[in-house]
Amino acid sequence: MKTRIIASALAKRFPDRPILNVTGIRRQESAARRGRPVAARDPHLTSGKREAQIWNPIIEWPVEQVWQTLDDAGLEIHEAYRVYGSSRVSCAFCIMSSIGDLRAAASCPDNHEIYRAMVDLEARSTFGFQGNRWLADVAPDLLDAEMRSAVASAKRAAIERMWLEARLPRHLLYVKGWPTAVPGIEDAELIAGIRRRISTLLAIDAAYLTGPAVRDRYRDLMAAQSPDQPLH
């Protein structure tokens, strides 16, 4: 995602000039990167007016060579590694981080405020930061009693929310192009009932809480997708 944003900026800045996109990825980092070439045409930057290449000069390097090169150059290692023991530097709290890196991030005082803000989102939404892994469990000592209580309530609510969501049959779940049909009366009542219970559970002011309202909403969404599409 980050590279796409950078590529977009480069394309706007250099609309008709060749671009060499140099990255620091290494095969050792992941299974996906293991098969990457040393160099290749960059499909995101190449256009009719511009040729672009990706070059991954250290793709074969083991991590030990990275550290040795930095040491030989006399460069100071980022404090995330040097002070807090992270294995990778990314966002302060990354959804792809290991539990060790999440704990390392939480141990940095500069991250405490954002940690509490993100835990607050967990508590209010009933969704854990990494699915079944809650950020609140990474450093509970940074939370006050009120927030710890709110998280405990959110976890209980999450169990009920997931149970309610699981009641939706497969044909009502999201698919590409959703919605593809207006639900029947029985299905609409089921959706409305689940919405009522979840809105109460999460204390949110939801709309479309009756079967007819749900069916009307589906009709509106489908009409917005394709004004000429017949509703059924």
Side-chain angles (χ1 to χ4, degrees), residues 5-177:
I5 295 171
I6 294 170
S8 176
L10 287 172
K12 292 174 182 176
R13 183 177 296 184
F14 307 110
D16 54 3
R17 296 176 61 182
I19 294 176
L20 178 62
N21 182 13
V22 184
T23 84
I25 66 170
R26 298 179 300 107
R27 298 194 197 284
Q28 193 184 57
E29 291 176 315
S30 70
R33 293 181 175 182
R34 200 169 297 140
R36 296 286 185 87
V38 174
R41 177 177 174 272
D42 190 332
H44 302 300
L45 284 172
T46 298
S47 69
K49 296 182 178 180
R50 178 183 56 246
E51 182 64 28
Q53 293 285 321
I54 298 174
W55 181 34
N56 306 313
I58 66 169
I59 196 164
E60 304 286 359
W61 287 20
V63 67
E64 293 80 9
Q65 187 173 354
V66 175
W67 295 126
Q68 187 61 55
T69 300
L70 292 171
D71 186 59
D72 291 345
L75 297 174
E76 185 176 57
I77 305 302
H78 191 286
E79 66 174 9
Y81 300 113
R82 180 170 41 83
V83 178
Y84 300 105
S86 297
S87 67
R88 294 178 66 89
V89 173
S90 184
C91 303
F93 296 102
C94 176
I95 59 170
M96 294 180 286
S97 285
S98 66
I99 183 64
D101 283 348
L102 290 176
R103 287 173 177 153
S107 70
C108 174
D110 290 342
N111 294 335
H112 289 179
E113 183 177 352
I114 191 172
Y115 173 78
R116 295 186 183 100
M118 294 176 74
V119 170
D120 180 62
L121 286 175
E122 289 184 314
R124 289 189 287 115
S125 70
T126 72
F127 283 88
F129 181 63
Q130 292 179 327
N132 291 329
R133 177 183 289 164
W134 290 64
L135 199 58
D137 295 333
V138 171
D141 55 300
L142 297 178
L143 308 174
D144 59 25
E146 182 179 359
M147 181 54 68
R148 289 197 296 271
S149 176
V151 169
S153 296
K155 289 180 178 180
R156 291 191 294 271
I159 294 172
E160 185 173 354
R161 173 182 53 75
M162 289 187 287
W163 177 81
L164 289 166
E165 292 167 345
R167 293 183 59 204
L168 289 169
R170 180 176 291 274
H171 69 274
L172 292 178
L173 300 181
Y174 176 84
V175 294
K176 186 176 181 179

Side-chain angles (χ1 to χ4, degrees), residues 176-192:
K176 186 176 181 179
W178 181 94
T180 57
V182 176
I185 294 174
E186 185 176 344
D187 281 343
E189 290 295 344
L190 173 63
I191 293 171

Side-chain angles (χ1 to χ4, degrees), residues 205-225:
D205 185 17
Y208 317 113
L209 302 180
T210 66
V214 167
R215 284 167 57 83
D216 286 344
R217 179 56 174 164
Y218 269 75
R219 291 189 183 97
D220 290 343
L221 290 171
M222 293 183 68
Q225 280 183 339

